[in-house]
Amino acid sequence: MIVMIMPKRSDAGKPHAVVALAYDSLCTFEFGVTYEVFGNEGGEGGPRYTFRTAAVERGRLRADSGLVVGADGGAALLAKAQTVIVPGWRPPHHEVPECIADALRTAHRRGARIVSICTGAYVLAAAGLLDGRRATTHWQCGADFSRRYPAVQFQPDVLYVDEGDILTSAGSASGIDLCLHIVRKDLGPEAANAAARRLVVPPHRQGGQAQFVQRPAIPEQRNRLSALLDWMRGALDRDLTLARLAARAGMSPRTFYRRFFEATGATPAEWVLCERLAHARDLLETTTAGIEEVAARAGFGSAAALRQHFRRRLATTPTLYRTQFARPPKRATRRRA
């Protein structure tokens, strides 16, 4: 079990304060991801997030690309942040300054949600925030990270880990997945899907997916599987057996299994389960359908099976999930005569 659902929504009507931590040799891609997701997340009635940059190190800061970084403020901004994001850290052998570690510990004790992208997990671990928790970082750093921080339950083969108040992501691109996951938790699937469309990325990838695929599929196979994946997403309520999928792809079951794993990083059964869970979550969040109907439409067959997978993968039940995440229906506005 990788993802835990522990929502922390913003107060109604108030934008959620997101602050990205800036430091010398800042990783520009990861920092840009945080701005693209949270700095541009507007909506009806105004922005749903405010985005600022804070720095606690003294002196001029330069990103790893040589760009000069200008922060909006320092510790005072972190003191008001509801979510603090740490982009990728400079080379892992660099020690984390105590001023940064202390600022993060203070923010966490105050109740802020702390997020790291890629090697930003080194900063959280140095601050002691990951001790006894599950966490991840880029797979290439796995051995070094585990050696340096044995008290952390390192997860080597996932995109991101959600521990509620502490969230960590793997490589740079998985930071996008984690940020969209946060938007989904805070604002619901519609907002997350809209942000994904703006960024031209997949709308939702489960945190438990593999960080990388073993071998890229050749273009012909990738194109064939792309059409099949689209069909599978629209047929989640059907019996998607390996034999049936292989026949539809025009391959033997053994070849199909191998090609599917190479292209997606997951087995066909695991991929279908993740998609069914995502569809069930969407239905619970956006419809009033009963649990049995949700289970049938998502392909689980029974409410008992749906509950079993929710407990195992999301550490909650469908009913509790709906209570926590269902979007309230929009009220009709009355026009004055």
Side-chain angles (χ1 to χ4, degrees), residues 110-121:
R110 183 180 50 78
R113 178 172 57 188
I114 311 296
V115 180
S116 71
I117 299 177
C118 197
T119 52

Side-chain angles (χ1 to χ4, degrees), residues 60-81:
R60 197 180 195 188
L61 304 181
R62 287 188 177 274
D64 58 357
S65 60
L67 296 174
V68 176
V69 179
D72 297 306
L77 271 180
L78 291 174
K80 298 178 181 179

Side-chain angles (χ1 to χ4, degrees), residues 103-245:
L104 290 174
R105 287 191 292 263
T106 300
H108 183 249
R109 284 195 299 268
R110 183 180 50 78
R113 178 172 57 188
I114 311 296
V115 180
S116 71
I117 299 177
C118 197
T119 52
Y122 277 85
V123 183
L124 274 58
L129 298 180
L130 299 181
D131 289 354
R133 292 176 179 261
R134 292 183 296 273
T136 193
T137 188
H138 196 286
W139 63 272
Q140 288 183 321
C141 301
D144 177 73
F145 186 88
S146 297
R147 178 181 59 79
R148 287 172 178 262
Y149 304 107
V152 181
Q153 299 175 31
F154 179 64
Q155 306 291 312
D157 296 321
V158 298
L159 294 178
Y160 55 83
V161 176
D162 181 348
E163 287 272 289
D165 56 340
I166 303 274
L167 301 92
T168 55
S169 80
S172 301
S174 62
I176 301 175
D177 296 304
L178 178 55
C179 289
L180 291 176
H181 169 72
I182 292 171
V183 173
R184 184 186 180 94
K185 289 179 64 174
D186 291 346
L187 305 175
E190 299 94 339
N193 291 342
R197 285 194 299 271
R198 177 169 49 78
L199 293 170
V200 197
V201 296
H204 182 70
R205 291 201 294 172
Q206 295 280 1
Q209 288 185 227
Q211 286 193 29
F212 62 96
V213 297
Q214 291 186 339
R215 185 179 64 197
I218 61 175
E220 181 183 353
Q221 295 291 355
R222 185 167 61 242
N223 291 339
R224 182 185 301 181
L225 286 178
S226 178
L228 178 64
L229 294 177
D230 289 340
W231 177 84
M232 291 168 66
R233 290 188 180 98
L236 294 173
D237 58 341
R238 303 188 188 184
D239 187 16
L240 300 178
T241 63
L242 178 63
R244 182 176 187 178
L245 296 175

